[in-house]
Amino acid sequence: MPQVVIENPIINSPFDEPTRHFRFADEGITKEIVAGRRSSSYFDGAADRLLDRSPPREEALLLPERSSGNGDLPGEKYDHDHAIGP
């Protein structure tokens, strides 16, 4: 279902009890305004992602090339004989 964009989502006064709401369908929110107060319920948009059973995409992790066999990165110089600590 295409994503619905609601231009002006504020349809009730912040000082009065809500009298209208946007209708929710099985696919998500719609632009249809319904009279009355919406019933209390939970909506989790992440559930669609959880139901996706396709295998995750693997992306290659590109690491910088090593300049030599001593572990230095290109342009870096490191004293491998330096002691760490006191």
Side-chain angles (χ1 to χ4, degrees):
M1 176 177 179
Q3 185 172 354
V4 175
V5 177
I6 298 172
E7 297 296 327
N8 187 5
I10 301 172
I11 57 175
N12 292 297
S13 168
F15 306 106
D16 299 324
E17 182 176 337
T19 58
R20 302 180 298 166
H21 65 275
F22 290 99
R23 188 179 68 81
F24 274 92
D26 291 337
E27 300 84 24
I29 195 166
T30 66
K31 288 186 174 185
E32 180 184 347
I33 297 177
V34 181
R37 191 170 186 152
R38 183 184 357 256
S39 62
S40 178
S41 64
Y42 292 102
F43 175 76
D44 184 7
D48 295 337
R49 292 188 301 276
L50 295 175
L51 295 176
D52 183 13
R53 302 284 188 229
S54 61
R57 293 184 314 216
E58 292 185 22
E59 297 180 16
L61 177 61
L62 301 176
L63 299 175
E65 295 293 326
R66 300 289 181 184
S67 62
S68 63
N70 63 5
D72 292 336
L73 294 175
E76 292 184 349
K77 298 295 179 198
Y78 180 72
D79 181 9
H80 295 279
D81 297 325
H82 177 74
I84 298 176

